């Protein structure tokens, strides 16, 4: 091939010495890997070339060779998929991630959330926090990634809601430009010309039928111009906007952000619990905590057991499909020495279900509470236990910012106000 190219270009043909590797016949993936190793020692090989070479090499191997190659490259068994995903980043981003020390999986995860505003900066900051602690964990990274994925899911949900309105032919109202008055009104504030209520059903035929999306991306039906289409505004006293209104709006925004962060934090937390449950030896602190909960039978634990909902427990025990696999069947495959692991999984599942929703009714205080603002002592003790175990495991798990906020008053060196 080289000589044919030389002849075409008018250059002299030469013979080049080569080794014939008969052991590589039919093993294209391994051949590409050896080529990658050789090229990796050359100065001109860029990050994108490396990712592409890893992907091609690992995809072309059988399972045995892939395991050997992944170990040689010090990457995970899913490295081929990670390499393919990471290539979605542009060259400048790939250079920054390599310089910061992101591994292949982290680079692929950044590519998944790169469209969230500030994602790269936030993940680089989380990576540096993990590196500065020097324990080799990625607890801060996991928490920031979970929050970015929650924000991306929120953006995707809004995009889906907007697409559904567009498909139904319903205009989505935007904020009026600066200096322009917005004539639209929610249907709840309007009546027909005869004073009858307006709703989606009897307003659908109006040319001004439109919508805005609320904080949870549900449509709030509007008329784009009630005066033009013969509707009346319900008589309501006009209240001047006050400082309290602005404070309430700011508090509403804070509640939405904290609720989203609380739900996002459940992902890294449960992944850490799974690792504890799958470990050969359960940390002593976890065993003692589970034993105490089982023996004391706190109220929430009994209510959880009465519901007989085992999906979370099955997930913590490693089920591929928690809705179909039973905890007892999963536990049957575990050795007797893992009894403490199973008991901890049982207790942790009760806590995880109890912490799932950020707002709940506290029967002890007989009021609605936000858990990120006021968890009960047992909930805080569970979170603090996981924090301690994560720090002991080389920082592999860290509490998220919203969880840190929740447990502040329950730390041993602090007292509630």
């Amino acid at each position: 091939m080289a000589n044919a190219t030389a002849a075409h270009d008018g250059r002299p043909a030469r013979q080049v010495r080569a080794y014939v590797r008969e052991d590589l016949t039919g093993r294209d993936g391994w051949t590409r890997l050896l080529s990658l190793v050789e090229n990796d020692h050359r100065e001109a090989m860029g990050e994108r070339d490396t990712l592409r070479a890893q992907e091609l090499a690992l995809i072309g191997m059988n399972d045995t060779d892939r395991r050997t190659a992944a170990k040689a490259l010090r990457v995970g068994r899913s490295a081929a998929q990670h390499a393919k995903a990471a290539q979605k980043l542009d060259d400048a981003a790939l250079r920054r991630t390599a310089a910061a020390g992101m591994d292949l999986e982290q680079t692929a995860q950044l590519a998944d959330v790169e469209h969230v505003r500030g994602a790269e900066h936030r993940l680089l900051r989380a990576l540096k926090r993990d590196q500065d602690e020097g324990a080799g964990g990625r607890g801060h990274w996991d928490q920031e990634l979970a929050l970015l994925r929650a924000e991306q899911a929120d953006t995707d949900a809004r995009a889906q809601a907007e697409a559904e309105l567009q498909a139904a032919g319903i205009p989505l109202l935007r904020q009026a430009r600066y200096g322009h008055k917005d004539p639209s009104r929610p249907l709840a504030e309007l009546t027909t010309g005869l004073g009858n209520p307006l709703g989606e059903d009897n307003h659908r035929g109006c040319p001004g039928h439109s919508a805005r999306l609320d904080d949870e991306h549900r449509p709030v039906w509007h008329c784009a111009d009630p005066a033009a289409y013969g509707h009346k505004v319900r008589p309501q006293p006009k209240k001047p906007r006050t400082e309290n209104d602005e404070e309430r709006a700011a508090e509403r925004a804070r509640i939405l952000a904290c609720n989203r962060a609380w739900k996002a934090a459940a992902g890294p937390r449960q992944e850490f619990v799974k690792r504890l449950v799958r470990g050969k030896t359960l940390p002593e602190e976890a065993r003692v905590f589970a034993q105490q909960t089982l023996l004391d039978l706190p109220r929430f634990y009994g209510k959880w057991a009465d519901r007989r909902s085992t999906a979370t427990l099955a997930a913590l025990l490693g089920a591929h499909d928690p809705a179909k696999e039973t905890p007892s069947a999963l536990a049957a495959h575990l050795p007797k020495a893992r009894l403490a692991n199973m008991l901890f999984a049982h207790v942790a599942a009760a806590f995880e279900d109890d912490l799932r929703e950020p707002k709940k009714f506290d029967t002890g205080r007989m009021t609605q509470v936000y858990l990120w603002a006021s968890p009960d002592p047992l909930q805080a003790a569970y979170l603090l236990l996981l924090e301690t175990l994560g720090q002991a495991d080389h920082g592999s798990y860290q509490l998220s910012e919203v969880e840190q906020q929740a447990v502040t008053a329950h730390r041993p060196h602090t007292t509630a106000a």
Side-chain angles (χ1 to χ4, degrees):
M1 291 173 65
N3 286 338
T5 304
H8 182 270
D9 295 343
R11 295 182 283 106
R14 295 184 298 171
Q15 287 189 338
V16 181
R17 295 188 181 190
Y19 290 100
V20 178
R21 292 288 302 269
E22 295 181 355
D23 59 309
L24 295 176
T25 302
R27 301 176 69 188
D28 292 346
W30 197 258
T31 304
R32 292 190 187 100
L33 175 68
L34 294 178
S35 177
L36 166 64
V37 172
E38 177 190 355
N39 289 335
D40 197 37
H41 289 77
R42 298 179 183 177
E43 293 182 356
M45 191 166 183
E47 289 80 8
R48 187 174 300 280
D49 296 326
T50 302
L51 289 171
R52 182 62 177 161
Q54 286 178 334
E55 178 194 1
L56 290 174
L58 294 169
I59 286 177
M61 293 181 181
N62 59 40
D63 289 341
T64 302
D65 284 348
R66 189 178 295 115
R67 284 194 294 270
T68 304
K71 185 176 181 180
L73 291 171
R74 296 181 180 179
V75 296
R77 294 180 62 180
S78 301
Q81 290 81 1
H82 293 155
K84 184 174 183 179
Q87 291 177 66
K88 294 186 293 184
L89 296 172
D90 60 37
D91 291 339
L94 287 174
R95 286 193 295 271
R96 290 192 295 269
T97 60
M102 280 192 196
D103 62 29
L104 186 56
E105 181 182 13
Q106 290 172 322
T107 306
Q109 290 171 339
L110 168 59
D112 287 339
V113 297
E114 65 169 328
H115 298 299
V116 179
R117 187 174 181 179
E120 181 180 335
H121 173 72
R122 290 164 60 180
L123 285 176
L124 285 173
R125 185 175 58 190
L127 177 65
K128 189 175 187 307
R129 290 181 67 188
D130 284 328
Q131 291 171 340
D132 289 346
E133 292 180 3
R138 48 181 289 171
H140 295 298
W141 173 281
D142 288 341
Q143 291 292 0
E144 196 63 50
L145 178 65
L147 192 54
L148 285 167
R149 283 176 169 164
E151 292 173 21
Q152 181 170 278
D154 188 67
T155 301
D156 292 344
R158 186 171 187 86
Q160 175 66 24
E162 291 182 0
E164 290 174 357
L165 287 175
Q166 184 178 12
I170 300 173
L172 178 64
L173 296 175
R174 306 292 181 181
Q175 291 296 326
R177 291 180 297 169
Y178 180 76
H180 290 72
K181 186 177 180 180
D182 181 9
S184 68
R185 286 291 191 97
L187 297 188
E189 298 178 5
L190 302 174
T191 68
T192 66
L194 297 178
N196 294 316
L198 276 176
E200 181 194 1
D201 292 337
N202 62 343
H203 187 259
R204 193 172 295 164
C206 174
H209 189 56
S210 51
R212 280 197 167 93
L213 297 176
D214 65 11
D215 294 330
E216 296 181 358
H217 317 306
R218 296 172 300 193
V220 178
W221 306 111
H222 281 60
C223 183
D225 194 342
Y229 300 121
H231 307 318
K232 292 183 178 180
V233 178
R234 291 178 184 271
Q236 291 180 345
K238 188 172 183 180
K239 297 179 180 179
R241 187 172 180 84
T242 65
E243 185 177 341
N244 287 338
D245 293 330
E246 296 178 0
E247 292 176 355
R248 283 194 292 268
E251 178 63 10
R252 174 62 179 165
R254 187 180 78 90
I255 288 173
L256 288 174
C258 288
N259 284 350
R260 181 170 58 231
W262 185 263
K263 292 180 180 180
R269 189 173 65 238
Q270 292 180 17
E271 285 301 315
F272 178 56
V273 173
K274 288 180 188 178
R275 294 200 297 273
L276 292 173
V277 172
R278 289 196 296 263
K280 291 183 179 180
T281 305
L282 185 73
E284 180 64 8
E285 298 93 331
R287 185 195 67 79
V288 171
F289 185 86
Q291 175 179 289
Q292 182 176 348
T293 304
L294 287 166
L295 294 178
D296 290 348
L297 290 176
R299 182 188 298 272
F300 90 93
Y301 187 74
K303 292 174 65 177
W304 174 80
D306 285 341
R307 288 197 296 271
R308 303 177 63 84
S309 177
T310 60
T312 302
L313 176 56
L316 296 182
L317 289 172
H320 296 293
D321 188 349
K324 295 182 179 179
E325 299 177 67
T326 64
S328 57
L330 294 163
H333 300 289
L334 296 176
K336 294 179 180 179
R338 303 278 181 89
L339 176 60
N341 302 51
M342 288 181 279
L343 294 180
F344 178 71
H346 202 271
V347 169
F351 274 99
E352 289 298 327
D353 284 349
D354 195 45
L355 294 170
R356 176 177 287 116
E357 293 301 323
K359 185 178 182 180
K360 63 178 295 186
F361 185 80
D362 189 313
T363 54
R365 289 173 278 186
M366 297 302 292
T367 185
Q368 292 281 351
V369 297
Y370 287 105
L371 297 185
W372 43 262
S374 183
D376 66 38
L378 272 178
Q379 293 165 336
Y382 173 70
L383 295 176
L384 289 169
L385 169 71
L386 295 183
E387 180 186 50
T388 300
L389 297 177
Q391 290 171 347
D393 188 36
H394 309 293
S396 64
Y397 173 74
Q398 302 280 352
L399 291 183
S400 66
E401 181 183 359
V402 75
E403 290 169 319
Q404 293 273 11
Q405 169 186 297
V407 301
T408 296
H410 296 271
R411 291 189 180 281
H413 60 279
T414 61
T415 57

